[in-house]
Amino acid sequence: MRNKRMVLICIIAVILNPLVFAITPHINKGTLNEISVETACTDLKISPEKLKRFETEYTKDFFDLIFNGFKVEKIDIFRQTFTETKDVLYRVMLEGKAGWVLTGDDRIQYQKVYFKGDNGKTNLLYADFYWTDIVHGTKERHEIRKNVMPIIKHNKIAGIMVYEIESYVTYKIIDDDLNTDKIYSDDTAAEVFWSDDLSSADMRLYHGAQGDAEKFSAGETTYNNHAYDYQELKPDITIESSKPLIDEKDPFKYTIQNAFDKNSATSYVEDTDDDLMSIEFIFHRYETGKAVSIEKISLINGYAASQKLYFENNRIKTFYFDSYSINFGKNEEKERENFLKSYKDIILPESPAEFYFSIPKLSFNSFSFSVDAIYKGNKYKDTCLAEFNFYGKDYGWFFGESK
């Protein structure tokens, strides 16, 4: 960790120099090996043109690229392998210029993630901006960073977590010098998608958009809000959390996915004014009239990579749960009240060991984990959480097996 004031200065410097980021993607699991376009095309059985294609069906915010085009100037491809499974991911990193509507000369990095199962079948799981920078007139700069992490269960990749950071900077120009006026960063967010078979799962965010996009680019139609067939893919879980600490060289080093990567050497680290944190889980099964049953929770406190880092940083001392269900009846509401009374101001021992909590079997549509007191670090003021997981009969351990 580092002094938060210095991190703020570094964030500003990074935003003013978008080329500071390497094209190598951040990963939490497995090993990356760079491969050639030819090798990737052979492994995935696709053409170089398709490998470099901008996937409008998978990308939420592609309109700016449609308006003025995206020219690929650099491509790097990595094969990601794992000790826990024979499944493989291929990360295709495209970099180039995008003719943004308002600026005309911003660069972007775009990532595509292909899945290859042990049966040899391949599938495009994800495609979206890895990093982009948008200037709104002369007043505001909007930066987006997005990435994806596999969730490995029972020796296979059972799902993916898509996580992102959004940052906003307002600035003013005086005598041709760029002086930063103010910086504001949004809370981090993540979405989890499960599938029994990722080799055939349709993970597109918008279906039917490609044909209209090609017609628009060819001048055969004009843009309007009805030209695209919006059918957004719903996540199984949405995760919202407090603002994370941002490392200037590796923006995803301390963000929310670390709490679910089954690696106690990484941690989700907050950057809030009071050094507290909260995480909310929203289960989207409620749209089918079902809630999610949770029976156990496990967590690893602090920055558990080493005893030294553990005591240098803040750790969680007490926390509490909250929950909500759209189907709470009279009996269920009473059970919820008893549950909340029983799991209020829970005290964690001073240890980086994994702790388990059995809870009453209740069905939730959402629940939250909130920290209300901390053990203070002897060097840094950052509060850290190494791992968080929960167990339900329908899903097992949600983010990979615990003891």
Side-chain angles (χ1 to χ4, degrees):
M1 261 49 59
R2 61 199 71 229
N3 181 281
K4 292 183 181 177
R5 184 180 176 189
M6 289 302 297
V7 171
L8 177 62
I9 294 172
C10 290
I11 293 174
I12 294 170
V14 166
I15 292 174
L16 298 182
N17 182 14
L19 295 182
V20 72
F21 296 114
I23 197 75
T24 305
H26 177 98
I27 62 168
N28 281 68
K29 302 180 180 183
T31 303
L32 285 181
N33 290 292
E34 189 168 5
I35 61 175
S36 67
V37 171
E38 292 76 15
T39 299
C41 290
T42 300
D43 287 0
L44 298 171
K45 297 180 175 59
I46 60 175
S47 66
E49 292 75 22
K50 188 172 182 179
L51 194 70
K52 298 177 183 179
R53 176 181 170 226
F54 184 79
E55 307 288 347
T56 56
E57 308 102 311
Y58 291 79
T59 306
K60 287 184 178 180
D61 304 311
F62 64 89
F63 295 114
D64 288 321
L65 294 180
I66 294 174
F67 279 120
N68 288 301
F70 170 54
K71 182 180 179 181
V72 176
E73 297 178 348
K74 183 179 180 181
I75 179 169
D76 293 296
I77 307 172
F78 300 87
R79 184 192 285 123
Q80 186 177 4
T81 55
F82 311 90
T83 57
E84 307 97 318
T85 179
K86 293 181 180 179
D87 295 342
V88 179
L89 296 182
Y90 292 79
R91 293 180 181 258
V92 181
M93 308 299 293
L94 306 176
E95 183 174 330
K97 285 186 177 182
W100 303 110
V101 176
L102 297 177
T103 61
D105 195 30
D106 283 332
R107 298 185 66 83
I108 71 165
Q109 292 176 357
Y110 184 77
Q111 178 177 205
K112 300 166 67 174
V113 179
Y114 289 88
F115 169 87
K116 186 174 183 179
D118 59 5
N119 58 6
K121 293 182 180 180
T122 63
N123 190 23
L124 178 60
L125 291 186
Y126 171 86
D128 212 332
F129 299 113
Y130 184 71
W131 184 93
T132 187
D133 188 7
I134 306 171
V135 177
H136 299 287
T138 60
K139 295 294 183 183
E140 184 177 76
R141 184 179 293 268
H142 179 200
E143 184 181 43
I144 304 173
R145 302 184 184 106
K146 297 181 182 179
N147 202 8
V148 60
M149 179 182 77
I151 298 172
I152 299 175
K153 299 173 61 174
H154 306 300
N155 301 315
K156 71 172 187 176
I157 298 177
I160 60 171
M161 174 180 288
V162 178
Y163 55 97
E164 70 176 83
I165 313 163
E166 289 192 80
S167 300
Y168 295 85
V169 178
T170 60
Y171 60 87
K172 58 185 177 182
I173 300 175
I174 302 175
D175 297 329
D176 297 326
D177 291 326
L178 191 62
N179 297 323
T180 300
D181 222 9
K182 177 184 177 184
I183 183 167
Y184 168 74
S185 294
D186 266 356
D187 293 347
T188 188
E191 295 178 331
V192 178
F193 301 88
W194 305 108
S195 176
D196 293 332
D197 182 9
L198 286 175
S199 66
S200 60
D202 185 354
M203 306 296 286
R204 291 178 294 175
L205 289 171
Y206 296 101
H207 300 262
Q210 177 61 24
D212 292 318
E214 289 176 347
K215 289 180 181 179
F216 181 86
S217 299
E220 297 174 8
T221 184
T222 58
Y223 168 74
N224 63 71
N225 289 333
H226 304 290
Y228 300 89
D229 180 15
Y230 291 94
Q231 294 182 27
E232 187 167 2
L233 181 67
K234 297 290 185 182
D236 291 280
I237 308 172
T238 296
I239 302 172
E240 298 178 354
S241 63
S242 302
K243 178 183 173 184
L245 183 67
I246 304 298
D247 181 85
E248 70 274 13
K249 293 182 180 179
D250 184 357
F252 297 119
K253 186 174 182 178
Y254 303 122
T255 45
I256 187 61
Q257 84 288 348
N258 288 341
F260 312 104
D261 65 358
K262 304 303 297 176
N263 179 6
S264 60
T266 65
S267 289
Y268 162 52
V269 183
E270 57 71 36
D271 187 21
T272 61
D273 292 337
D274 57 9
D275 296 320
L276 303 179
M277 67 168 66
S278 65
I279 305 173
E280 182 180 10
F281 303 88
I282 303 167
F283 303 97
H284 293 281
R285 289 180 63 182
Y286 72 84
E287 294 176 354
T288 62
K290 296 180 181 179
V292 172
S293 177
I294 296 174
E295 302 172 36
K296 302 175 187 177
I297 291 174
S298 73
L299 65 86
I300 299 177
N301 197 9
Y303 204 99
S306 68
Q307 285 283 334
K308 181 175 180 289
L309 286 171
Y310 179 80
F311 287 106
E312 283 182 342
N313 292 278
N314 294 349
R315 289 86 62 200
I316 299 167
K317 183 177 182 180
T318 65
F319 67 90
Y320 63 92
F321 294 122
D322 199 357
S323 65
Y324 173 75
S325 173
I326 60 172
N327 295 319
F328 272 148
K330 187 174 182 180
N331 293 335
E332 289 85 359
E333 185 62 38
K334 181 138 183 100
E335 288 180 357
R336 174 181 178 271
E337 290 176 2
N338 292 333
F339 163 71
L340 297 181
K341 288 178 182 178
S342 301
Y343 290 87
K344 182 178 180 181
D345 296 328
I346 302 171
I347 300 176
L348 278 175
E350 269 276 58
S351 170
E354 189 166 11
F355 293 97
Y356 296 87
F357 304 89
S358 295
I359 63 175
K361 187 178 179 181
L362 294 176
S363 296
F364 307 131
N365 295 114
S366 69
F367 87 93
S368 61
F369 164 86
S370 300
V371 175
D372 52 6
I374 57 175
Y375 298 107
K376 291 190 176 180
N378 58 35
K379 187 173 182 179
Y380 304 109
K381 295 182 179 180
D382 308 304
T383 303
C384 310
L385 174 65
E387 289 297 314
F388 193 92
N389 202 354
F390 39 89
Y391 175 88
K393 184 178 179 181
D394 293 338
Y395 283 92
W397 287 102
F398 277 60
F399 301 105
E401 297 307 301
S402 291
K403 295 178 183 178

